[in-house]
């Protein structure tokens, strides 16, 4: 999984980064975390930053999600991925 955080260098973005790092700490399947602060790459999000994406699916925008909220999203993603892997037949 890849987690992307779109935001400028500000207190809100730093709190999102910290909460994401706290949520994934100690996980065996730790995702890749990317912070995007390039204005050109943030054109779509500039009015609603910070933005948090899990594999290009928006999880939050315009606010700082708590560590517990992020942990819950991680559990949901893991559960979804496990369910998908169970349903795909091998050829």
């Amino acid at each position: 999984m890849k987690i992307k955080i779109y935001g400028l260098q500000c207190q809100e973005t730093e709190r999102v980064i910290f909460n994401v790092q706290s949520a994934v700490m100690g996980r065996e399947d730790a995702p890749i975390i990317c912070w995007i602060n390039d204005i050109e790459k943030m054109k779509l999000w500039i009015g609603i930053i910070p933005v948090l994406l899990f594999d290009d699916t928006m999880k939050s925008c315009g606010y700082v999600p708590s560590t517990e909220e992020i942990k819950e999203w991680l559990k949901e993603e893991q559960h979804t991925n496990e369910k998908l892997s169970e349903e795909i037949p091998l050829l």
Side-chain angles (χ1 to χ4, degrees):
M1 175 190 308
K2 191 172 199 174
I3 297 177
K4 296 179 186 174
I5 303 162
Y6 286 84
L8 301 172
Q9 188 167 356
C10 64
Q11 191 174 30
E12 288 81 15
T13 301
E14 289 173 3
R15 286 179 30 220
V16 173
I17 293 168
F18 178 81
N19 288 354
V20 168
Q21 290 173 332
S22 297
V24 302
M25 192 178 303
R27 291 179 60 99
E28 290 180 19
D29 60 341
I32 297 168
I33 303 170
C34 301
W35 172 33
I36 296 93
N37 63 354
D38 180 347
I39 295 290
E40 285 297 312
K41 293 180 181 178
M42 289 192 304
K43 282 183 181 177
L44 293 173
W45 314 111
I46 198 68
I48 54 173
I49 56 175
V51 174
L52 179 61
L53 304 175
F54 281 21
D55 288 332
D56 297 324
T57 300
M58 185 185 296
K59 293 295 186 177
S60 71
C61 65
Y63 76 99
V64 178
S66 69
T67 301
E68 291 305 314
E69 192 172 10
I70 296 167
K71 284 181 180 180
E72 194 61 38
W73 293 333
L74 288 167
K75 284 181 193 173
E76 290 170 7
E77 289 291 321
Q78 181 179 5
H79 178 70
T80 301
N81 290 339
E82 287 172 357
K83 190 167 185 120
L84 285 174
S85 67
E86 292 172 4
E87 295 175 359
I88 299 173
L90 297 174
L91 300 175

